[in-house]
């Protein structure tokens, strides 16, 4: 009999567990009318969350403007999106089952609950939910609305959505930013050249004003703003003198974002911690010291000057062009596009070079800087640009208005050629395919002979 005792005990435990599951875990899902309450999340104006086991808690209150603030244990701006999740799951917790009223709440952990959540709606009605332990299947918590004797099982993820601390719910987005409304950005970088970059909005794009006046790459600047918009602090460093300890009084990067004529919003960031993917940050919106989860945003802040400059000098649809002029070695070839879209060389008269013209046009309407060679050349002649080796003028209609683009081409340097665009003195490097196609067109019109092809070597007969 003794040898069967362990088996009999195990069977008894399994039977008890099965009875528990049948009674408390296999009830049909509750109808809406059987839920603890029916409340609209938008009607909640105050929330209190208390971790009874740890003796900590917080109070959330809705401001007149609709925003939320943590008012205890300290006054802190709350993260509205996270608060919305708390409200959603307090107003309508994801109830799995409504249980029968038990004679003893201890097996459910509800005699001494571990967590207490209460909220008040705009009518002043208060509701309280006590949270006990998890069910045997670990899929739900046992919860009990105060002043009732009927427990419920609520999905673990639903309870976890409102079982939060002040640190969880405090605002950590360092700057409230709508990139579309930003008018000016100043980026200061310690121990970097250039140290300061400044951009101002120009229509749909951006213009660089420091360290030089030049068109800025709108995608690079917009990308930087989107990075800042998404930038959130991780842990809040509560150490004494944390701001100076982590070098935020001597920041590696300072970004000031303006949306009007005011002083702007400032974000300061430390240099990345050596051998760690982390950095520290603070802002005028949130004057605390935050440890960032990663230093990825610093990569964009630390880009070189050329990465923020606009490389696309000209982009237009070839069908939007109406005429073009190509000059090289003393001869200018002029061409126009007819009503049917066909291009014809008008000067020199009776010239024929259709294939070469199409190739030249294809290159001429898309000009991209491969490199920024010299923003203020002392002598354009050093680049073969005074006089130029070749010149191009393209006319057409862009955005419903007459449009003219003119540029000069100089010497080649490896796989690129030097170019000056419009009236700007700056010298760019562009793909050498552009001057190659232009010179090929003009030479064809001029009647230059095709390159000689070497005759095959004669082979002796055996």
């Amino acid at each position: 009999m003794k040898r069967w005792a362990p088996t009999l005990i195990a069977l008894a435990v399994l039977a008890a567990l099965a009875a528990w599951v049948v009674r408390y875990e296999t009830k049909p899902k509750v109808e809406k009318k059987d839920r603890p309450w029916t409340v609209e999340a938008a009607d909640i104006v105050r929330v209190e969350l208390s971790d009874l086991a740890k003796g900590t808690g917080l109070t959330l209150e809705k401001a007149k403007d609709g925003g939320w603030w943590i008012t205890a244990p300290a006054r802190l701006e709350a993260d509205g999106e996270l608060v919305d999740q708390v409200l959603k799951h307090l107003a309508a917790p994801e109830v799995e089952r409504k249980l029968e009223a038990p004679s003893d709440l201890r097996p459910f952990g509800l005699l001494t609950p571990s967590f207490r959540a209460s909220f008040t709606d705009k009518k002043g009605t208060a509701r309280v939910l006590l949270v006990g332990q998890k069910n045997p299947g670990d899929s739900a918590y046992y919860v009990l609305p105060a002043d009732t004797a009927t427990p419920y099982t609520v999905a673990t993820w639903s309870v976890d959505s409102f079982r939060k601390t002040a640190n969880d719910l405090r605002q950590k987005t360092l700057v409230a930013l709508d990139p579309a409304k930003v008018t000016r950005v100043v980026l200061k970088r310690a121990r970097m050249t250039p140290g300061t970059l400044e951009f101002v909005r120009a229509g749909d794009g951006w213009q660089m004003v420091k360290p030089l006046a030049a068109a800025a790459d709108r995608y690079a600047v917009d990308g930087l703003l989107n990075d800042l918009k998404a930038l959130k602090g991780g842990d809040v460093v509560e150490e004494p003198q944390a701001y100076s300890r982590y070098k935020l009084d001597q920041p590696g990067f300072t970004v000031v974002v303006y949306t009007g004529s005011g002083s702007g919003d400032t974000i300061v960031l430390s240099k990345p911690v050596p051998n760690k993917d982390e950095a520290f940050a603070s802002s005028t919106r949130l004057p605390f010291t935050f440890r960032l989860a990663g230093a990825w945003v610093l990569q964009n802040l630390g880009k070189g000057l050329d990465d923020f400059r606009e490389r696309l000098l000209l982009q237009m649809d070839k069908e939007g062009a109406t005429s073009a002029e190509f000059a090289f070695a003393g001869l200018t070839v002029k061409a126009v596009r007819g009503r049917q879209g066909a291009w014809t060389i008008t000067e020199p008269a009776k010239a024929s070079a259709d294939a070469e013209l199409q190739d030249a046009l294809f290159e001429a309407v898309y000009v991209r800087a491969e490199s920024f060679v010299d923003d203020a050349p002392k002598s354009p002649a050093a680049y073969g640009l005074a006089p130029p080796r070749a010149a191009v003028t393209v006319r057409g209609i862009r955005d419903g208005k007459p449009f003219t683009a003119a540029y000069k081409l100089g010497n080649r340097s490896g796989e690129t050629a030097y170019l000056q665009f419009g009236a700007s003195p700056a010298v760019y490097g562009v793909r050498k395919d552009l001057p190659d196609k232009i010179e090929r067109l003009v030479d064809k019109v001029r009647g230059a002979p095709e390159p000689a092809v070497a005759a095959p070597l004669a082979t002796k007969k055996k």
Side-chain angles (χ1 to χ4, degrees):
M1 182 66 181
K2 290 183 179 180
R3 66 176 184 175
W4 292 102
T7 303
L8 293 173
I9 292 172
L11 289 173
V13 171
L14 289 173
L17 181 59
W20 178 283
V21 171
V22 168
R23 184 172 184 181
Y24 295 112
E25 304 296 326
T26 60
K27 298 291 184 182
K29 289 189 177 181
V30 297
E31 300 294 333
K32 286 186 178 180
K33 63 181 181 179
D34 293 325
R35 295 180 184 275
W37 44 65
T38 302
V39 181
E40 292 294 330
D43 292 339
I44 299 176
V45 296
R46 179 184 170 90
V47 175
E48 292 183 23
L49 304 174
S50 302
D51 189 323
L52 303 176
K54 296 180 180 179
T56 59
L58 72 131
T59 301
L60 288 163
E61 294 188 40
K62 191 173 186 178
K64 291 182 179 179
D65 63 1
W68 282 86
W69 287 81
I70 299 171
T71 56
R75 183 170 177 80
L76 300 166
E77 183 181 355
D79 186 319
E81 292 182 3
L82 296 178
V83 172
D84 285 345
Q85 289 299 308
V86 170
L87 303 180
K88 174 183 175 182
H89 289 277
L90 285 177
E94 190 65 26
V95 175
E96 291 186 348
R97 291 169 180 82
K98 181 179 181 180
L99 308 179
E100 296 177 4
S103 58
D104 187 359
L105 290 174
R106 279 177 291 187
F108 304 93
L110 290 168
L111 190 63
T112 55
S114 62
F115 195 86
R116 180 182 186 274
S118 67
F119 62 91
T120 305
D121 64 22
K122 60 185 180 182
K123 294 181 180 180
T125 303
R127 295 173 175 83
V128 178
L129 195 64
L130 303 174
V131 179
Q133 64 189 29
K134 287 185 179 180
N135 64 356
D138 208 37
S139 64
Y141 283 94
Y142 295 112
V143 304
L144 180 70
D147 302 325
T148 73
T150 305
Y152 295 79
T153 56
V154 174
T156 298
W157 60 269
S158 183
V159 173
D160 288 343
S161 294
F162 63 77
R163 192 167 182 163
K164 300 296 183 182
T165 66
N167 191 55
D168 292 331
L169 296 179
R170 69 186 294 175
Q171 181 60 261
K172 297 186 180 99
T173 301
L174 290 165
V175 60
L177 179 63
D178 181 353
K181 294 181 180 179
V182 175
T183 57
R184 180 176 163 220
V185 183
V186 179
L187 169 58
K188 297 180 180 180
R189 306 164 338 156
R191 296 180 294 278
M192 289 188 66
T193 302
T196 300
L197 299 173
E198 184 174 344
F199 311 94
V200 295
R201 190 176 290 280
D204 293 333
W206 290 92
Q207 184 74 15
M208 182 185 294
V209 295
K210 287 183 181 180
L212 55 88
D217 184 334
R218 61 174 296 184
Y219 299 106
V221 179
D222 286 345
L224 178 61
L225 291 176
N226 284 324
D227 284 348
L228 294 174
K229 176 183 177 181
L231 185 61
K232 284 194 173 187
D235 298 333
V236 181
V237 183
E238 303 287 1
E239 303 170 19
Q241 307 300 319
Y243 192 85
S244 59
R245 178 178 178 179
Y246 294 104
K247 306 296 185 182
L248 291 176
D249 54 348
Q250 304 172 45
F253 301 94
T254 301
V255 188
V256 187
V257 181
Y258 299 85
T259 54
S261 57
S263 58
D265 293 317
T266 301
I267 303 174
V268 292
L269 301 104
S270 70
K271 287 281 189 179
V273 177
N275 303 318
K276 290 185 179 180
D277 182 27
E278 71 173 16
F280 296 85
S282 187
S283 69
T284 49
R285 181 192 189 189
L286 299 177
F288 309 100
T289 300
F290 291 94
R291 178 183 285 105
L292 302 180
W296 53 268
V297 70
L298 304 184
Q299 296 177 1
N300 283 337
L301 295 175
K303 283 183 176 179
L305 175 64
D306 289 357
D307 292 318
F308 287 102
R309 297 185 63 173
E310 177 59 81
R311 292 179 178 272
L312 192 57
L313 303 176
L314 174 63
Q315 181 181 27
M316 65 182 299
D317 188 344
K318 190 176 71 172
E319 301 307 316
T322 56
S323 67
E325 297 178 11
F326 304 95
F328 169 63
L331 178 64
T332 298
V333 175
K334 298 182 179 181
V336 299
R337 184 171 66 87
R339 293 183 178 179
Q340 303 301 318
W343 281 83
T344 304
I345 296 175
T346 56
E347 292 185 26
K350 299 182 180 180
S352 177
D354 291 342
E356 290 78 8
L357 175 61
Q358 293 301 321
D359 288 344
L361 287 168
F362 180 82
E363 296 289 341
V365 297
Y366 182 87
V367 181
R368 183 181 185 277
E370 300 297 322
S371 60
F372 302 96
V373 178
D374 195 339
D375 291 303
K378 293 181 179 179
S379 174
Y383 300 102
L385 291 163
R389 181 180 177 87
V392 178
T393 302
V394 180
R395 299 180 178 85
I397 303 295
R398 192 167 72 173
D399 299 328
K401 298 178 181 179
F403 173 79
T404 300
Y407 50 90
K408 298 176 289 187
L409 291 154
N411 297 333
R412 291 175 177 79
S413 176
E415 293 299 311
T416 61
Y418 298 123
L419 176 145
Q420 283 183 316
F421 193 88
S424 172
V427 177
Y428 304 93
V430 297
R431 292 194 318 138
K432 70 181 185 65
D433 287 0
L434 176 57
D436 285 352
K437 296 295 175 62
I438 292 166
E439 293 175 13
R440 192 172 301 167
L441 165 66
V442 176
D443 283 343
K444 176 71 173 181
V445 171
R446 193 193 310 274
E450 296 290 335
V453 179
L457 295 174
T459 56
K460 295 182 180 179
K461 293 183 180 180
K462 292 183 179 180

